[in-house]
Amino acid sequence: MTSAVPITAEELYHKLKNVRVGGSVCQYSLKKCGELVPLVNAINALKTEKDAVILVHSYASPEIIYGVADFVGDSYKLSRDAMMTKAKVIVFVAVRFMGETAKIVNPDKEVLVPARDPGCTLADSITAAQVRQLRQEFPDYTFVCYVNTTAEVKAECDVCVTSANVYQVVERIPSDKIYFLPDKYMGMNLKNEAARRKLKKDIRYFSGVCYVHEEYTREQIMKIRTEYPGAKIVSHPECNAEVVANSDFVGGTEQMLDYMRKTKAKQFLMLTECGLSARLQSEFPDKELVGSCTLCKYMKSNTLEDILSTLKSPKPSERIVIDENVRVRALGCLEAMFRYAEQGPARKVVCE
Ligand code: 13P
Ligand code: SF4
């Protein structure tokens, strides 16, 4: 996506000029791009020198996505990209659990997460000890964890899923008793979708929530439907069941973009973090965003300045280190996901 050939302020501005979300932090003038370009070029030069690759989640700030990213996407795509890269160093511009996923599949590579606050309300909502306790309470259940979990939690679970494959993977798991964790809304959505698909599965779920997606309501959708009757409502499965039931499309962030790319509609309400709205504005300038979005403070705690300093000389807290026993067990959980997800033609992973 980027190269060590220096870019100009005009080139960066061309990619960022249509971005209008998230207040003044996410709006770009040619002057502002001129101020960003020296940092962008320093990072891209250092990346080549250090044999590093930069993976960026779509929720990160637009100047990172369009300035220094080698790979951009959702957690599923980025975990695949992390597996494929030949670079010695992976800089994961996202949150800690995503960096951990990259380290689980790449034990010999240096994985660095430059975020100042690399948390996630979902990943931080459950511990490995709680999973062990739940396994004792529900011994005949298959434990399915969302990728938004720590390596220690993955190590205690049987199969991992991401928002892009949760319905498809759970459908393919032969067990009829599923314990899903940690997201309660995704758990409810999974239960509803399983009923819609007429799957005979008893699905239980934990009580975690994402503070960003928790904000969205059915009332917000109804208001937009009245004001913009042609607008399509696109939501993430971390939203509550009422939001999901009233959406035109539900999917992981990459699937949301794909839907918007393919549909003829011109207006969209996007019920997910503002980074995705920024991608829509930059990459599909003929499509219009209606309503507002919410920022994830953890994803937005990544900055160009910190990426540069992490690449130059990483702090111990920015290095991902995982106990080998935990890593091997967490790898088993991730490999089970890849096996189920890539088992053949997938049924549509959407609720339309
Ligand atoms: P995606 O895998 O859909 O990108 O979601 C990650 C995430 O953290 C959503 O809040
Ligand atoms: Fe975690 Fe929510 Fe931020 Fe995604 S948007 S990283 S689930 S806090």
Side-chain angles (χ1 to χ4, degrees), residues 57 59 74-76 97-98 146 148 163 213 236 238 252-253:
H57 190 270
Y59 292 168
D74 64 2
S75 35
Y76 189 75
F97 77 81
M98 293 193 187
Y146 189 28
N148 296 36
S163 55
H213 292 89
H236 194 276
E238 287 171 23
T253 51

Side-chain angles (χ1 to χ4, degrees), residues 249-290:
F249 180 87
V250 182
T253 51
E254 212 54 33
Q255 293 164 331
M256 291 167 89
L257 279 178
D258 204 42
Y259 171 77
M260 290 181 288
R261 186 178 294 124
K262 288 179 182 152
T263 181
K264 288 198 174 65
K266 289 283 179 218
Q267 291 179 320
F268 299 91
L269 171 67
M270 291 179 70
L271 298 179
T272 194
E273 210 271 348
C274 294
L276 208 70
S277 306
R279 281 197 63 188
L280 176 85
Q281 292 176 321
S282 175
E283 294 168 34
F284 312 110
D286 60 321
K287 311 242 178 196
E288 187 198 345
L289 212 56
V290 296

Side-chain angles (χ1 to χ4, degrees), residues 48-338:
T48 312
E49 194 187 307
K50 301 261 178 174
D51 189 16
V53 75
I54 301 188
L55 272 56
V56 183
H57 190 270
S58 293
Y59 292 168
S61 296
E63 67 269 24
I64 301 177
I65 294 182
Y66 297 106
V68 301
D70 295 292
F71 298 96
V72 179
D74 64 2
S75 35
Y76 189 75
K77 177 184 175 296
L78 292 174
S79 61
R80 281 316 238 144
D81 293 335
M83 268 167 94
M84 300 300 178
T85 184
K86 295 206 164 32
K88 273 204 281 206
V89 179
I90 296 174
V91 180
F92 216 127
V93 182
V95 287
R96 191 170 182 89
F97 77 81
M98 293 193 187
E100 285 188 350
T101 303
K103 184 70 179 177
I104 292 166
V105 298
N106 282 298
D108 300 328
K109 291 190 197 296
E110 169 92 297
V111 178
L112 305 169
V113 174
R116 293 239 166 149
D117 186 357
C120 162
T121 58
L122 280 174
D124 299 338
S125 68
I126 190 162
T127 63
Q130 283 172 297
V131 183
R132 284 193 291 273
Q133 176 66 38
L134 285 164
R135 291 204 81 130
Q136 281 183 7
E137 280 174 46
F138 301 102
D140 47 355
Y141 279 68
T142 297
F143 274 67
V144 176
C145 61
Y146 189 28
V147 71
N148 296 36
T149 43
T150 60
E152 286 79 9
V153 165
K154 288 187 180 73
E156 301 296 337
C157 292
D158 302 304
V159 186
C160 184
V161 293
T162 74
S163 55
N165 60 33
V166 50
Y167 302 139
Q168 168 198 351
V169 167
V170 170
E171 182 169 2
R172 289 171 176 177
I173 295 173
S175 163
D176 58 1
K177 288 192 171 74
I178 303 289
Y179 194 105
F180 178 77
L181 60 91
D183 188 347
K184 105 173 151 190
Y185 293 135
M186 202 183 258
M188 282 181 203
N189 293 329
L190 172 62
K191 205 173 162 111
N192 293 342
E193 178 64 12
R196 199 181 71 85
R197 294 182 183 206
K198 299 191 174 26
L199 304 183
K200 293 214 174 345
K201 286 188 197 273
D202 170 15
I203 298 175
R204 289 178 175 268
Y205 45 85
F206 194 68
S207 56
V209 287
C210 159
Y211 87 106
V212 173
H213 292 89
E214 192 186 21
E215 290 285 301
Y216 304 125
T217 61
R218 178 183 168 278
E219 288 64 41
Q220 209 177 339
I221 296 181
M222 292 311 152
K223 190 167 176 287
I224 293 291
R225 289 224 188 270
T226 311
E227 286 171 19
Y228 305 94
K232 295 287 182 197
I233 315 295
V234 186
S235 67
H236 194 276
E238 287 171 23
C239 294
N240 73 49
E242 276 199 327
V243 166
V244 162
N246 286 284
S247 296
D248 296 298
F249 180 87
V250 182
T253 51
E254 212 54 33
Q255 293 164 331
M256 291 167 89
L257 279 178
D258 204 42
Y259 171 77
M260 290 181 288
R261 186 178 294 124
K262 288 179 182 152
T263 181
K264 288 198 174 65
K266 289 283 179 218
Q267 291 179 320
F268 299 91
L269 171 67
M270 291 179 70
L271 298 179
T272 194
E273 210 271 348
C274 294
L276 208 70
S277 306
R279 281 197 63 188
L280 176 85
Q281 292 176 321
S282 175
E283 294 168 34
F284 312 110
D286 60 321
K287 311 242 178 196
E288 187 198 345
L289 212 56
V290 296
S292 55
C293 54
T294 319
L295 294 167
C296 171
K297 65 177 175 182
Y298 307 110
M299 289 283 188
K300 293 297 196 270
S301 75
N302 286 283
T303 62
L304 287 173
E305 287 82 357
D306 288 340
I307 296 171
L308 184 63
S309 93
T310 304
L311 259 176
K312 273 189 187 153
S313 124
K315 299 187 190 87
S317 62
E318 293 165 345
R319 282 203 155 100
I320 301 289
V321 180
I322 304 175
D323 170 85
E324 185 56 10
N325 177 270
V326 168
R327 188 195 71 79
V328 170
R329 289 188 297 131
L331 181 63
C333 180
L334 280 170
E335 282 174 345
M337 169 178 78
F338 291 125

